[in-house]
Amino acid sequence: MFCERFDYMLMRIVAWNANYNNRRRSFEADAEFLYSEGADLIVLSETARPAVAAVDRIAWFGTEGPGLGVIARNGYTISAHDKNSSAPALFGALHIR
């Protein structure tokens, strides 16, 4: 048999370049645009800074301008990795649980 059945959870990930420099949408508007895709994890590059911090659900890498945002949904949580303090700008590692 080529494919075996495995008992594990699948994670749905959607990544999108929001192109903040050409379309000045809010982080929340970019996220709302992708919610209908049913993703467990949404990765938004070149997006605005989130208006509200949600410690275990939203991660942000950047300054006031465009940056990288990650949203955990559907029961998943995110937390920063210890290596982030030495990472280059707009790089980040996360624990997804």
Side-chain angles (χ1 to χ4, degrees):
M1 180 177 189
F2 179 74
C3 182
E4 297 180 25
R5 184 182 186 291
F6 295 98
D7 290 321
Y8 56 87
M9 249 177 29
L10 297 177
M11 177 184 284
R12 298 178 75 171
I13 301 171
V14 171
W16 184 49
N17 183 330
N19 199 9
Y20 178 80
N21 290 322
N22 290 326
R23 295 181 173 86
R24 302 276 175 164
R25 288 183 300 266
S26 68
F27 175 86
E28 292 72 20
D30 288 340
E32 184 70 31
F33 180 74
L34 296 174
Y35 282 161
S36 65
E37 298 301 318
D40 300 311
L41 197 67
I42 297 174
V43 180
L44 292 165
S45 59
E46 294 189 25
T47 188
R49 184 181 193 92
V52 177
V55 176
D56 62 345
R57 302 217 24 198
I58 296 175
W60 171 255
F61 302 94
T63 59
E64 291 304 315
L68 177 69
V70 181
I71 304 167
R73 301 179 66 225
N74 302 330
Y76 286 95
T77 60
I78 54 180
S79 59
H81 191 280
D82 296 340
K83 296 282 185 184
N84 287 346
S85 61
S86 60
L90 302 179
F91 277 69
L94 298 168
H95 295 280
I96 312 295
R97 295 184 174 94

